[in-house]
Amino acid sequence: MSKNILIIGGGISGLCSAYFLQKEGHQVTVIDASDITSGASFVNAGFITPSHIIPLASPGMIATGIKMMFNSASPFYMKPRWDIDFFKWAWSFHKSSTAKKVEKAIPVIKDINIISRELFQDIKSSGDLGEFQLERKGLLMLYQSAEAYEKERKVAKRAADLGLEVSELDKSGLSKIEPNVQIDAKGAINYECDGHTTPTQIMPKLVSFLKSVGVEIRTKETVQDLEILGTKISHVRTNKFSYEPDELVMAAGAWSGLVAKKMGIKLLMQGGKGYRINVERSTGIGMPAILMEAKMAVTPMVGFTRFAGTMEFSGNNSLVRKERVRAIANGAQKFYPDLKISQEETASATTGLRPVTPDGLPYIGRSSKVDNVVFATGHAMMGWSLGPATGKLVSEIIDGKKTAMKIGAFSPDRKF
């Protein structure tokens, strides 16, 4: 039966939810506070990453954050501030950062990434969006030290044990796979299971397709009030309209927690700011990579090479810290010594806020507190990678179908 569905949030998760819901015959409206041309879905590294099996909440991360707290150029930065919600989130993050919980999360993260990788291919094969970059060359974990190699080697072994394709490259092998650029690295672990895309190419195509099939997409629209009748959302009032949805999909990214409060649900989440620099000239870089010691990502996209990274917890703002941008440029040059990112290129850097949960797993599913709301948020650094899988799961939940995987680990009601 066709339902009237309102999706709050026009990022990759919201748009993919709309994509799969409209295919099931539902009437879908997407609202977003922005004009859907910026934010995390546009500035991310474009990775499709079954290899990213370790959640952000892992042993030692809080200690690392505290150690780096007073260095605003550090890769993992938590700005000192008095914020009760941040304190609650940080304490829950600390409690989630145990070896036992990480081990429990690993197969779940792997499974949803595999589902999403195949759905990216299905979307491309359908022709709905026309042509777009979707390559599966792998992902190089470039290392300069024995310590970094040993750390990643353990992850690679775990990934291989789960059936993911992994190989190792020495300096000679690295030069063969990347013949057109000098790389200062001892070697790399290549996650052949991974792929990459150009988000700024896919997002407009997705918006255009959805509009063409009758999905209403309304921008510059913010939620002001929610009316609950019994155990259901009966009205959603924005600065422009009033809606009476049969189902509501919460995909507002880092702002999802603020909207959830309006329905009496405490959704622990913080915005983790990431930065990107686009270099719109030939760099010779042909393989996507993570520069391990610099803790940043490099992606050859359509028309430019993207350098992205950092995780900054400083509140939901779009402030660009120049020292953090410079750190990305410096990190790139340490690994690619012939590459110099110019002042003009760093000046064009921008940011996006990734929604980060305390345990690094997304919120996908219903809460016991409200019957007609499905959450699709909290993906941290894997939002782009998990967009299609999230959208598919949302459509299955709303249609009452058996989901493509068990989703208990993603429950918005889970305790930390």
Side-chain angles (χ1 to χ4, degrees):
M1 183 178 73
S2 177
K3 293 181 178 180
N4 177 21
I5 298 171
L6 178 66
I7 299 174
I8 301 176
I12 187 64
S13 293
L15 295 185
C16 283
S17 295
Y19 178 85
F20 288 105
L21 285 165
Q22 62 82 25
K23 285 189 175 293
E24 296 300 322
H26 299 294
Q27 299 299 308
V28 183
T29 299
V30 178
I31 62 173
D32 195 275
S34 75
D35 59 1
I36 315 184
T37 60
S38 62
S41 292
F42 287 84
V43 306
N44 64 85
F47 292 162
I48 302 168
T49 51
S51 68
H52 281 29
I53 56 176
I54 307 297
L56 182 64
S58 56
M61 283 304 294
I62 283 289
T64 298
I66 292 172
K67 190 185 301 182
M68 295 180 172
M69 185 174 285
F70 299 102
N71 177 8
S72 60
S74 64
F76 185 75
Y77 175 59
M78 296 189 294
K79 181 183 178 182
R81 67 190 192 277
W82 184 263
D83 183 330
I84 295 298
D85 286 341
F86 178 69
F87 293 153
K88 289 178 180 177
W89 174 88
W91 178 242
S92 296
F93 186 99
H94 169 69
K95 289 194 297 180
S96 299
S97 300
T98 67
K100 183 178 180 181
K101 290 187 176 181
V102 167
E103 188 61 28
K104 190 175 180 180
I106 284 173
V108 177
I109 295 173
K110 189 268 293 187
D111 287 348
I112 190 171
N113 265 289
I114 292 291
I115 290 169
S116 212
R117 185 184 67 185
E118 301 313 309
L119 288 171
F120 264 111
Q121 186 58 59
D122 289 348
I123 291 171
K124 183 165 187 177
S125 299
S126 72
D128 289 339
L129 309 191
E131 183 58 34
F132 61 85
Q133 183 194 33
L134 178 63
E135 298 187 65
R136 190 171 160 188
K137 290 183 174 180
L139 175 65
L140 300 178
M141 301 295 290
L142 296 171
Y143 59 86
Q144 295 178 326
S145 66
E147 181 184 3
Y149 166 68
E150 285 299 326
K151 182 178 180 181
E152 194 59 36
R153 186 179 65 82
K154 293 175 183 176
V155 178
K157 184 180 184 307
R158 188 73 178 88
D161 289 344
L162 289 169
L164 299 176
E165 301 90 350
V166 188
S167 61
E168 290 194 28
L169 298 170
D170 58 14
K171 212 168 178 57
S172 173
L174 194 55
S175 65
K176 288 178 182 176
I177 202 170
E178 277 283 43
N180 299 317
V181 63
Q182 183 184 349
I183 301 177
D184 184 4
K186 290 185 175 180
I189 289 174
N190 184 13
Y191 288 103
E192 299 169 8
C193 51
D194 288 7
H196 70 284
T197 59
T198 300
T200 51
Q201 181 190 49
I202 293 175
M203 286 292 287
K205 287 177 177 286
L206 191 48
V207 169
S208 179
F209 170 75
L210 291 173
K211 288 180 177 179
S212 75
V213 293
V215 174
E216 285 196 59
I217 296 184
R218 297 177 174 176
T219 59
K220 300 290 186 179
E221 192 163 345
T222 56
V223 176
Q224 295 184 332
D225 193 28
L226 300 174
E227 187 175 317
I228 301 176
L229 188 62
T231 57
K232 291 189 174 183
I233 302 291
S234 59
H235 290 79
V236 177
R237 294 187 174 85
T238 73
N239 58 323
K240 294 182 178 180
F241 296 99
S242 180
Y243 302 91
E244 298 179 41
D246 297 317
E247 295 275 3
L248 180 67
V249 178
M250 178 56 59
W255 290 268
S256 297
L258 298 176
V259 182
K261 279 185 177 180
K262 296 179 184 294
M263 58 183 84
I265 296 174
K266 295 178 181 178
L267 207 64
L268 286 179
M269 191 152 56
Q270 288 289 311
K273 189 187 296 182
Y275 293 74
R276 72 95 177 112
I277 301 170
N278 290 343
V279 174
E280 297 177 357
R281 53 187 165 86
S282 177
T283 61
I285 297 170
M287 285 287 292
I290 290 180
L291 315 183
M292 291 193 63
E293 286 83 356
K295 294 181 171 56
M296 57 175 285
V298 181
T299 317
M301 296 186 178
V302 175
F304 55 90
T305 303
R306 174 165 289 179
F307 300 85
T310 83
M311 179 62 80
E312 174 187 329
F313 295 104
S314 59
N316 286 9
N317 60 73
S318 57
L319 176 68
V320 175
R321 295 179 182 272
K322 293 181 180 179
E323 66 273 23
R324 299 184 71 72
V325 176
R326 193 69 249 161
I328 292 174
N330 291 341
Q333 193 166 1
K334 286 177 182 176
F335 279 81
Y336 304 100
D338 290 343
L339 172 71
K340 183 169 177 57
I341 297 176
S342 70
Q343 281 191 327
E344 290 77 16
E345 287 161 342
T346 58
S348 67
T350 190
T351 69
L353 284 169
R354 297 160 293 197
V356 184
T357 65
D359 61 0
L361 295 177
Y363 294 121
I364 305 174
R366 296 191 187 275
S367 168
S368 61
K369 296 180 180 179
V370 187
D371 291 344
N372 63 335
V373 176
V374 178
F375 288 89
T377 187
H379 298 80
M381 295 178 292
M382 292 183 287
W384 184 260
S385 185
L386 299 183
T390 299
K392 183 67 172 175
L393 290 169
V394 166
S395 81
E396 290 168 344
I397 291 164
I398 286 176
D399 284 340
K401 295 180 179 179
K402 182 180 179 181
T403 52
M405 65 177 290
K406 293 180 180 179
I407 60 172
F410 307 138
S411 171
D413 290 338
R414 67 186 183 270
K415 303 300 180 183
F416 301 105

